Amino acid sequence: MNKVYPDAATALAGVVHDGQTIAVGGFGLCGIPEALIAALRDSGVKELTAISNNAGVDGFGLGQLLTTRQIKKMISSYVGENKEFERQYLAGELALEFTPQGTLAEKLRAGGSGIPAFFTKTGVGTIVAEGKEIREFDGQQYVMERSLSPDVSLVKAYKADKAGNLVYRKTARNFNPNVAMAGKITIAEVEVLVEIGEIDPDDVHTPGIFVHRIVVNDTPEKRIEQRTVRAQQAGD
């Protein structure tokens, strides 16, 4: 089966539809599938539930889909750096399911592993646990969390072979491996594509069995979320 598609729009064609739940990998602006997000925006699909650690920034990453009002609900752990996200939520225009960061990662990992639910101490006694089952184990209370199995997962990897085996670099491994596992259909955006057998099996982070489509973006923008520089000193 040929998993390689010529561009992001073609990779999304026939896969994304209105009302779907779509998970997107990355952490802040690091390791986000830039081309796939832009193509998702251009596809015009709407009423989406987006699962992502955060929603990018205004005008970049998933922030683009907030601007175009294509997202109706976010499942995420962090809303900072995005004024439009904040505005829509406070105005009641965007549903938000706040999820502790580690719990979000585990909900995706569990979904990809066929585990429907799990118990965690995180959130017990807070609004995170409201309406959820609480059970006691060894004298401690735990809240039950349901796993996540999105209709489509969009991930960013550094390298892939044509079978879909993926290699991530550094911080891009945050969330991308779990997102890739969880999706019913997973589309990977990569910078480097090699032949099958050119990646050492010990270097594979996501096996190709989880990946259905691949698109190459060898010139990603990789925008920096916050840039801090040293003030110029006298004599510099």
Side-chain angles (χ1 to χ4, degrees), residues 106-116 147-149 181-183:
E106 180 60 14
K107 284 163 78 78
L108 289 161
R109 191 203 68 82
S113 301
I115 300 169
S147 62
L148 293 170
S149 298
M181 287 177 59

Side-chain angles (χ1 to χ4, degrees), residues 112-192:
S113 301
I115 300 169
F118 59 92
F119 286 91
T120 176
K121 291 180 69 174
T122 304
V124 172
T126 74
I127 60 173
V128 170
E130 289 182 0
K132 299 175 182 177
E133 179 182 347
I134 304 295
R135 191 177 298 185
E136 184 174 303
F137 296 92
D138 300 322
Q140 300 289 322
Q141 287 191 321
Y142 294 77
V143 59
M144 188 181 80
E145 296 282 359
R146 293 295 305 270
S147 62
L148 293 170
S149 298
D151 299 304
V152 180
S153 285
L154 308 179
V155 300
K156 165 66 186 293
Y158 169 64
K159 182 188 295 186
D161 64 20
K162 292 182 178 180
N165 296 301
L166 303 181
V167 178
Y168 308 100
R169 293 191 73 244
K170 303 184 186 299
T171 307
R173 287 181 69 181
N174 277 318
F175 284 98
N176 272 304
N178 290 345
V179 169
M181 287 177 59
K184 295 181 177 71
I185 298 292
T186 294
I187 305 174
E189 176 180 327
V190 304
E191 296 177 42
V192 177

